[in-house]
């Protein structure tokens, strides 16, 4: 089944990029979004804590310093969990932003140049463009169908492409790969 062709404002680099490529091609702004999300989640929990944590026989607490010891433990635990959720959510957001550049949905000149240099070098060395995979072809095709545009469904099911396969929605000839008809 062929990949769906979508008109995008920027050139398509890869319709199903491998997770390692998406992470390698992240920009400093992606890392900034990741870091901001990691810090913002526990900061928001800390800011809301005086209004949310109440002692059974007390009125609403006015500040985090008014917390009794059990509440400090609860706050500490919630801040740690918030830090983890912020880190994980920030990673998914950064991964999605980087994937959008591979799809041509946002400005991708830097990624386009990096992709052309990387895959042209692999083609000149005679290596497979997207790496070798020990899985049978039908497994690679199923993995491609399942993970293509999966970054849009992170809220329901976070899935990354971890399988090397030849289904990427681009013409390998632009990297210098000769088709089997040309090589004969």
């Amino acid at each position: 089944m062929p990949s769906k062709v979508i008109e995008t404002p920027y050139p398509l680099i890869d319709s199903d990029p491998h997770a390692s490529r998406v992470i390698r091609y992240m920009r400093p702004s992606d890392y900034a979004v990741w870091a901001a999300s990691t810090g913002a989640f526990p900061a928001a929990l800390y800011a809301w804590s005086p209004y949310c944590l109440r002692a059974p026989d007390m009125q609403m607490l006015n500040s985090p310093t008014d917390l009794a010891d059990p509440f400090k433990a609860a706050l500490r635990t919630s801040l740690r969990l918030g830090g983890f959720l912020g880190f994980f959510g920030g990673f998914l957001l950064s991964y999605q932003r980087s994937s959008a550049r591979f799809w041509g949905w946002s400005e991708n000149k830097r990624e386009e140049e990096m992709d052309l240099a990387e895959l042209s070098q692999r083609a000149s060395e005679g290596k497979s463009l997207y790496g070798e995979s020990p899985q049978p072809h039908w497994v690679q095709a199923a993995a491609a169908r399942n993970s293509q545009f999966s970054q849009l469904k992170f809220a329901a099911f976070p899935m990354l492409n971890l399988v090397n396969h030849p289904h990427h929605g681009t013409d390998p000839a632009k990297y210098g790969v000769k088709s089997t008809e040309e090589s004969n």
Side-chain angles (χ1 to χ4, degrees):
M1 182 164 94
S3 299
K4 181 174 182 164
V5 177
I6 299 172
E7 294 297 321
T8 60
Y10 300 98
L12 171 71
I13 298 172
D14 193 338
S15 63
D16 190 23
H18 194 277
S20 65
R21 290 186 71 208
V22 174
I23 294 169
R24 275 196 333 260
Y25 285 36
M26 279 186 181
R27 293 182 177 183
S29 64
D30 296 326
Y31 290 110
V33 166
W34 190 355
S37 297
T38 301
F41 202 112
L45 288 175
Y46 185 77
W48 292 328
S49 67
Y51 306 107
C52 296
L53 296 175
R54 297 180 187 189
D57 57 346
M58 295 174 60
Q59 295 295 330
M60 185 182 303
L61 300 173
N62 294 326
S63 72
T65 58
D66 293 342
L67 297 174
D69 190 45
F71 294 110
K72 284 184 182 179
L75 180 63
R76 187 171 38 247
T77 302
S78 66
L79 291 178
R80 287 179 182 157
L81 178 61
F84 171 75
L85 293 174
F87 181 83
F88 187 69
F91 169 75
L92 293 178
L93 182 59
S94 298
Y95 191 93
Q96 189 176 43
R97 287 169 44 100
S98 183
S99 295
R101 287 191 291 274
F102 275 96
W103 298 331
W105 293 4
S106 60
E107 188 278 319
N108 63 359
K109 187 68 174 164
R110 174 184 166 267
E111 288 77 9
E112 189 178 9
E113 292 169 356
M114 290 173 63
D115 174 69
L116 185 62
E118 178 185 356
L119 297 185
S120 295
Q121 179 183 0
R122 288 186 66 86
S124 67
E125 293 172 357
K127 295 180 180 175
S128 172
L129 284 182
Y130 299 105
E132 298 296 328
S133 178
Q135 287 93 7
H137 185 70
W138 70 270
V139 172
Q140 294 176 29
R145 286 190 301 271
N146 289 334
S147 66
Q148 201 165 41
F149 298 110
S150 66
Q151 295 85 334
L152 299 175
K153 300 175 276 210
F154 275 161
F157 187 73
M159 181 193 313
L160 312 176
N161 176 20
L162 301 175
V163 176
N164 292 323
H165 58 76
H167 312 285
H168 293 273
T170 57
D171 184 14
K174 73 178 181 180
Y175 304 113
V177 175
K178 295 180 181 175
S179 67
T180 56
E181 295 172 2
E182 291 177 15
S183 60
N184 290 340

